[in-house]
Amino acid sequence: MKSNYLKIHPWKIIEEGFDPKRVKSSESIFSLGNGAMGQRANFEETYSGETFQGSYVGGVYYPDKTKVGWWKNGYPEYFAKVLNAPNWIGINIHTNGNLLDLNQYKSVDNFRRELDMQTGIYVRSFEVQIDSACRIGVEVKRFLSMDQAALGVIQYQLTALEGSCHLEIESYVEGKITNQDSNWDDPFWNHHSASHSNSVMLLKSRTLKTNFDVATYAQTFLIDPKGQQLSDFDEVSENQRLSQSKKQILRQGEQCSILKFGGYINGMNYSPQTFEAEAQRLVLEAEKKGIKKLIEEQHIAWSKIWDLSDIEIHGDDAAQQAIRFNIFQLNQTYNGKDPKLNIGPKGFTGEKYGGSTYWDTEAYCLPFYMATKTHEVGRNLLKYRYDQLDKAIENAKKIGFDKGAALYPMVTMNGEECHNEWEITFEEIHRNGAIAFAIFNYERYTGDTSYIPEKGIEVLIGIARFWAQRVNYSEYQKAYVMLGVTGPNEYENNVNNNWYTNYIAQWCLNYAADQQEKIKQENPKRWEQLSDKLNWNSRETAQWRTIADQMYFPKHPDQDLFLQQDGFLDKELHPVSALSLDERPINQHWSWDKILRSPYIKQADVLQGFYLFESDFDRETLSRHFDFYEPFTVHESSLSPCIHSILAARLGAVEKAYDFYLQTSRLDLDDYNKEVEEGLHITSMAGTWMSVVEGFGGLRIIDNQVHIDPKLPEAWEAFSFKINFRGTPIKVVVDKEKVAAIHSNPDLIVHCKGKPLD
Ligand code: BGC
C-alpha cells in the first residue's frame, strides 16, 4: 500500500504539515548530494523526536569487523561501511531562553518542505509560538554546490512574526557522530584537531583503520535586520565540537538571516596540509559571491544536467514528478567526475547496504550514465572494476580458485569482498556476468572499440576463467552444470543450475573467447603483451567454448519453458495473487524457511536474462516466460518492477508496463515497501530511467545505429527523452500522432520500428 503525503508537482517535491511520524521518511526523500558528499534532510536546529542523522563523504568508509554467529572459511574480515561524518549543518536557536525544537511544541504551523529539482535548492519553513511574547517564522534554504564539490550552503532566516524575540544563535560543527549501522559500536573517527582560524571552524579527522583524512569546516555569518553582514561570533571549541555564537533581538516584523557555508574537504583529493587553506578559500569565495549568485550558479549547473537528461511526460504529473525525482537523485549521487567513486544502492541517503558497489552499477546504472553524460563517465565506471581486478583475483583465490580466475565481490568499497552471508558471498556469483556484460554494453553503446584491448579483455578473461572452474561436468546430464548458487532471486539459495547464472556464464565464456581471438588477430603485438601478463594458455579458449557448448539448462519436461533452477516444478505453484495482503511483503511476514520453499520470486531472475539477452529470444518465447514467472514474482527488490516494465512494453502490454513504471518510479515517493526512512533506492532509479527510455521509448543500439519503438501509455498525452549518442544529443518526442528524433547530426539516422525516421 502506498503512502501519499507528498504533493504532486512536475518539478517539485512538496510536503505540507508537520507530522513527527514522517520526519525520518522525509529526511530520506529530501536528501541532498553533489556526487562528492551528501546528507539526509536533517533539521539544522535541535530535534529531540525520532530522526536518522546522516551526512556522508564519497569514498570514505570504515572496515567494520565482520559479525556472524557461525564463521565460514572464506568470509571477509570486515564489511566496509559508509561513514556518518561530522555534522556541519547544526544551528541551535534559543528564543527567549527556549531551545527551538519542533518536537516540543503543541503545534508547528505552516510547516512545509520543498525540493526544487530544477534548481537543486531545498527549502523548509514553519512557524511556532515560542511563548506568549514571541511567535517566530523560519525559512531555511539549503543546497550542496554542484560546481564546488566541497561546498554546502545554508541560509537560515528568522522572522519575529509577533512580539519581540531574543535570539541566541549557536552554529556548530560536531564530531561526536555514530553510525546507526555498526557491528561493534566502534568509534570510526579520530578527530585530531579542532580549531577556529580566521573565523572558520575546522575539525580535522582521520578514520580509524582506513586512515582517510577529512576536514569538516564551516563559517557562519549573521545578516542583521538592518542588512549588515556580521562575522564577529563568540567562538568555543571543546570535546570535538566547535561553535560560533551570537545574540540578536528581533522586534515584531524584523528579520535576520544566518548564512552558513560548510562541508567536507576529502583527503582523497586534497593533501591534509592544504585543508585549512582550502576551507578558507571556499568560504572566502562563497562570501564574495553571496547567496544570490551561488543560487544562480546552482540553477545553471542543474540546467546543464537537465539539458542532457530531462524526460518530459505530458498529461500525467505523478509520472512526470517521479521520473524527474529519479534523475535528480541519480545526479546527486554520482557525476562520473571521479573514477574512484561509484553508486551505492542508497547513495548518500542512508547506511543500509553499507558498502558502495553492487552488481546494480553494471546491470542498472551504466545505461543511464552512459546516455545522459559523456561516454567517459561510462568508461570510468568500467575502469573502477578494472582497477580492482587484482582484488577480484585474490578474492577468488581465497575461496579456492586459481590461475587468474576473478570473482568480483558482491559488495565492495575498494575491491575486497565485504558481504558475509555464505549464500550470497559465495553463491550469488551471477554478479561476475553483469560486469562482463557491461563491457559489451559500453562498446555497443559508445562505439569505443579501444576499451576492450586496452583494459576490458583482462577483466573478461579473469571472469571467463572463473566460470570455467566454477562449473563441473555431470556424467549424468552429459553437460556442464553449476551447483550451489543463488540467482538474482535471493528468495532461493544454494540451488543447482540457476538458469540465469548458467546463461550469463555461457555468454561470458563465448564473449571472452571472441574478444581474445579478435585481439590476437587484429593486434598481435598487444596480444603478445597480454598473453605474458595473463600467463595465457593457448588451450583456454577452446576449453571455454566446449563448456559453453555443453552448458546445461533446466527445462520444463512438457512445455517450452526454461526453469529458474532444477526442481522449481516441485514447489506448490500458487501465484502471488493467492496471498493475502497482510502477508505482504513476505520478507516482513514470513520465516526465511517458508520463503525459501515457496515459489515466490523476489525480482526478475529468468526474466533478467530475457532482458539482457533479448535478441536471443523471439517475442513468443518472451511472452511465455513472462506469463509463467511474473505471477510468482513479489517484486520485493526495488530492482524488479523496472525490468518487468521494459519487458511488458516490449510485449505490447503497455498498460501493464505503465503499472510497473509507477511502482518503480514512485517507489520512494509513495513508499511502496514501507522502508523509505532507511534511505532512497538509488540504483533502482536508473532502472526507472531504463523503463522510460528502453521500455516506452524502445531504445536499442543495433549495429551501431539508434533504434526506437515508442509506445504511449493511455495516461500520457506525450513524452520525450534525451540521450547522448556518440557525441550527438538526441531528443526523442512521442505523442499520439507522431514520433520525432531531434538532433543536428546530418550523418545520424534514427530508426523507428525498423525504418529510418525523416
Ligand atoms: C537485491 C540485489 C541488489 C541489492 C542492492 C537486494 O535486495 O536483491 O539484487 O544488488 O539489493 O540493491
Side-chain angles (χ1 to χ4, degrees):
M1 247 205 317
K2 57 183 197 168
S3 110
N4 44 11
Y5 73 88
L6 300 167
K7 305 275 165 292
I8 302 288
H9 185 288
W11 274 111
K12 292 178 177 173
I13 310 297
I14 301 166
E15 174 186 8
E16 280 171 352
F18 183 68
D19 180 351
K21 287 199 283 310
R22 293 197 308 234
V23 167
K24 286 209 276 182
S25 303
S26 291
E27 285 173 341
S28 299
I29 298 276
F30 293 91
S31 290
L32 293 177
N34 67 358
M37 60 178 177
Q39 50 184 218
R40 293 171 56 78
N42 304 129
F43 299 162
E44 289 79 4
E45 72 278 359
T46 294
Y47 183 65
S48 58
E50 270 208 52
T51 162
F52 171 6
Q53 298 288 309
S55 188
Y56 309 99
V57 189
V60 174
Y61 64 91
Y62 177 82
D64 205 11
K65 196 164 153 276
T66 302
K67 188 174 198 175
V68 286
W70 182 8
W71 184 267
K72 311 235 173 358
N73 277 346
Y75 269 173
E77 298 295 322
Y78 69 88
F79 197 112
K81 295 268 164 74
V82 290
L83 282 195
N84 207 349
N87 168 1
W88 67 265
I89 64 164
I91 299 176
N92 279 333
I93 311 282
H94 278 85
T95 311
N96 299 354
N98 302 302
L99 180 66
L100 182 64
D101 171 359
L102 295 193
N103 196 37
Q104 301 296 337
Y105 299 98
K106 267 201 219 96
S107 108
V108 175
D109 304 320
N110 297 325
F111 182 88
R112 192 169 197 277
R113 300 190 197 232
E114 178 181 302
L115 177 63
D116 185 339
M117 299 182 282
Q118 208 162 8
T119 58
I121 313 280
Y122 162 57
V123 184
R124 178 173 63 100
S125 51
F126 57 89
E127 293 170 12
V128 278
Q129 190 71 40
I130 300 288
D131 55 22
S132 56
C134 161
R135 180 173 177 80
I136 200 144
V138 174
E139 187 190 90
V140 193
K141 283 199 177 83
R142 186 155 112 198
F143 58 95
L144 300 185
S145 166
M146 294 303 275
D147 289 335
Q148 301 252 25
L151 179 68
V153 180
I154 298 172
Q155 186 193 42
Y156 198 102
Q157 207 167 64
L158 295 132
T159 309
L161 299 170
E162 283 166 25
S164 288
C165 305
H166 292 245
L167 305 176
E168 288 163 59
I169 298 161
E170 192 213 26
S171 159
Y172 63 90
V173 167
E174 170 67 84
K176 261 191 242 129
I177 291 293
T178 52
N179 262 43
Q180 287 213 345
D181 180 19
S182 157
N183 287 342
W184 307 91
D185 291 332
D186 282 359
F188 290 163
W189 293 97
N190 169 25
H191 305 297
H192 51 86
S193 130
S195 63
H196 290 88
S197 106
N198 286 339
S199 303
V200 177
M201 299 181 270
L202 193 71
L203 181 68
K204 291 193 199 160
S205 321
R206 177 170 283 189
T207 56
L208 292 162
K209 295 193 186 166
T210 34
N211 296 332
F212 286 108
D213 286 304
V214 172
T216 309
Y217 76 96
Q219 181 171 358
T220 324
F221 300 90
L222 179 74
I223 294 111
D224 73 6
K226 292 197 202 85
Q228 278 182 9
Q229 184 160 312
L230 312 168
S231 55
D232 53 332
F233 284 70
D234 293 335
E235 299 185 328
V236 176
S237 160
E238 56 188 5
N239 292 335
Q240 313 168 0
R241 188 177 192 279
L242 293 139
S243 66
Q244 297 182 319
S245 306
K246 198 163 179 56
K247 291 186 179 160
Q248 175 68 50
I249 299 175
L250 291 182
R251 318 237 169 259
Q252 182 153 333
E254 282 184 347
Q255 199 171 67
C256 70
S257 266
I258 301 156
L259 188 58
K260 187 167 185 181
F261 303 120
Y264 306 108
I265 305 170
N266 187 341
M268 284 160 76
N269 303 321
Y270 292 90
S271 122
Q273 285 75 41
T274 64
F275 281 172
E276 199 163 322
E278 185 54 20
Q280 308 271 358
R281 186 194 68 77
L282 281 158
V283 170
L284 206 69
E285 229 178 65
E287 190 200 349
K288 239 200 245 150
K289 283 185 182 160
I291 181 94
K292 211 165 144 236
K293 176 104 176 76
L294 288 167
I295 289 178
E296 245 171 65
E297 285 181 358
Q298 183 77 345
H299 192 166
I300 293 171
W302 274 103
S303 304
K304 286 189 190 147
I305 293 171
W306 290 116
D307 273 352
L308 290 174
S309 62
D310 191 22
I311 290 181
E312 287 174 292
I313 297 175
H314 295 275
D316 186 351
D317 281 349
Q320 172 70 83
Q321 177 186 46
I323 189 65
R324 287 201 172 122
F325 183 64
N326 285 249
I327 296 172
F328 182 78
Q329 290 296 349
L330 286 163
N331 277 287
Q332 292 209 111
T333 306
Y334 181 76
N335 55 27
K337 289 182 196 156
D338 187 342
K340 295 186 290 302
L341 302 183
N342 209 280
I343 308 131
K346 296 242 172 277
F348 298 117
T349 70
E351 295 166 17
K352 201 175 162 195
Y353 295 116
S356 157
T357 312
Y358 285 64
W359 73 303
D360 305 27
T361 293
E362 285 77 17
Y364 292 82
C365 300
L366 179 74
F368 168 80
Y369 290 104
M370 263 187 329
T372 62
K373 303 206 174 289
T374 60
H375 299 337
E376 281 71 52
V377 173
R379 201 174 160 115
N380 273 349
L381 284 174
L382 300 190
K383 198 169 162 287
Y384 177 91
R385 296 290 193 177
Y386 174 77
D387 291 341
Q388 296 181 351
L389 178 60
D390 288 347
K391 295 254 169 70
I393 292 173
E394 208 178 292
N395 184 34
K397 217 182 218 165
K398 274 189 201 151
I399 55 173
F401 297 85
D402 58 9
K403 300 196 181 96
L407 174 60
Y408 277 92
M410 185 68 198
V411 184
T412 194
M413 277 283 189
N414 65 357
E416 284 167 21
E417 178 62 274
C418 289
H419 206 282
N420 57 38
E421 286 165 69
W422 64 270
E423 64 278 21
I424 290 183
T425 312
F426 307 140
E427 299 206 329
E428 208 178 331
I429 50 179
H430 67 81
R431 59 194 186 241
N432 246 12
I435 290 163
F437 187 86
I439 295 173
F440 157 76
N441 204 9
Y442 168 80
E443 188 180 296
R444 174 173 64 176
Y445 190 85
T446 63
D448 172 5
T449 51
S450 69
Y451 183 72
I452 294 180
E454 272 171 32
K455 298 197 162 69
I457 187 68
E458 295 181 47
V459 172
L460 293 175
I461 287 176
I463 288 174
R465 285 173 168 171
F466 172 79
W467 291 125
Q469 293 174 38
R470 185 60 169 78
V471 294
N472 64 277
Y473 188 75
S474 156
E475 280 300 338
Y476 173 67
Q477 300 285 4
K478 299 275 175 278
Y480 285 91
V481 293
M482 201 160 351
L483 308 180
V485 302
T486 295
N489 168 21
E490 292 174 344
Y491 289 177
E492 301 275 359
N493 299 153
N494 202 34
V495 299
N496 293 338
N497 296 308
N498 168 258
W499 179 84
Y500 172 79
T501 308
N502 285 15
Y503 201 85
I504 205 161
Q506 178 191 53
W507 177 86
C508 288
L509 290 163
N510 279 326
Y511 187 65
D514 293 348
Q515 295 306 312
Q516 183 276 324
E517 283 158 8
K518 189 165 171 237
I519 298 171
K520 190 172 173 198
Q521 202 176 17
E522 292 176 1
N523 196 343
K525 271 220 178 95
R526 173 70 186 135
W527 178 249
E528 217 172 285
Q529 291 165 344
L530 281 165
S531 59
D532 278 353
K533 181 172 177 192
L534 299 171
N535 274 328
W536 181 250
N537 173 340
S538 57
R539 287 188 301 279
E540 281 185 271
T541 33
Q543 187 213 1
W544 297 348
R545 299 255 189 229
T546 308
I547 297 169
D549 287 349
Q550 297 176 37
M551 188 72 93
Y552 166 83
F553 294 102
K555 292 198 181 101
H556 195 294
D558 316 313
Q559 295 172 26
D560 199 0
L561 268 178
F562 296 114
L563 293 182
Q564 187 178 268
Q565 74 252 3
D566 287 349
F568 187 76
L569 291 177
D570 294 335
K571 290 170 180 280
E572 286 179 14
L573 294 173
H574 303 303
V576 176
S577 56
L579 295 174
S580 71
L581 271 186
D582 52 18
E583 292 173 280
R584 308 278 309 275
I586 58 171
N587 67 16
Q588 289 173 17
H589 293 94
W590 282 14
S591 72
W592 192 241
D593 163 67
K594 192 167 171 187
I595 291 177
L596 290 177
R597 287 185 288 109
S598 81
Y600 301 122
I601 302 172
K602 182 181 182 191
Q603 67 201 88
D605 191 296
V606 171
L607 294 178
Q608 182 77 28
F610 275 74
Y611 163 68
L612 291 181
F613 301 106
E614 131 180 312
S615 56
D616 294 357
F617 308 100
D618 60 24
R619 214 161 154 267
E620 284 63 44
T621 311
L622 168 62
S623 176
R624 260 194 326 277
H625 286 80
F626 190 94
D627 291 348
F628 184 77
Y629 285 108
E630 199 287 320
F632 298 121
T633 308
V634 283
H635 305 290
E636 287 178 13
S637 158
S638 62
L639 302 175
S640 191
C642 55
I643 296 299
H644 287 82
S645 180
I646 297 167
L647 296 179
R650 177 162 179 239
L651 290 170
V654 184
E655 294 319 303
K656 202 178 256 180
Y658 176 72
D659 287 346
F660 284 125
Y661 167 76
L662 283 186
Q663 260 184 62
T664 175
S665 64
R666 297 197 61 88
L667 176 77
D668 290 324
L669 291 176
D670 293 341
D671 198 9
Y672 277 104
N673 288 348
K674 302 263 162 297
E675 55 176 15
V676 74
E677 57 182 46
E678 293 172 358
L680 303 175
H681 296 87
I682 299 294
T683 46
S684 92
M685 293 183 173
T688 301
W689 177 88
M690 297 197 302
S691 65
V692 176
V693 173
E694 298 179 14
F696 300 122
L699 177 77
R700 303 288 185 274
I701 307 303
I702 305 169
D703 295 336
N704 296 306
Q705 305 269 333
V706 179
H707 288 254
I708 53 174
D709 182 5
K711 298 181 177 100
L712 195 63
E714 268 294 300
W716 298 1
E717 283 155 21
F719 74 101
S720 68
F721 64 87
K722 293 171 172 177
I723 56 162
N724 169 13
F725 181 67
R726 305 187 180 181
T728 300
I730 307 175
K731 178 173 181 181
V732 174
V733 184
V734 181
D735 66 22
K736 292 197 160 117
E737 267 89 52
K738 59 176 191 322
V739 174
I742 303 159
H743 62 84
S744 56
N745 182 348
D747 301 324
L748 187 128
I749 298 170
V750 174
H751 301 262
C752 181
K753 299 188 192 295
K755 291 198 192 110
L757 266 179
D758 305 332

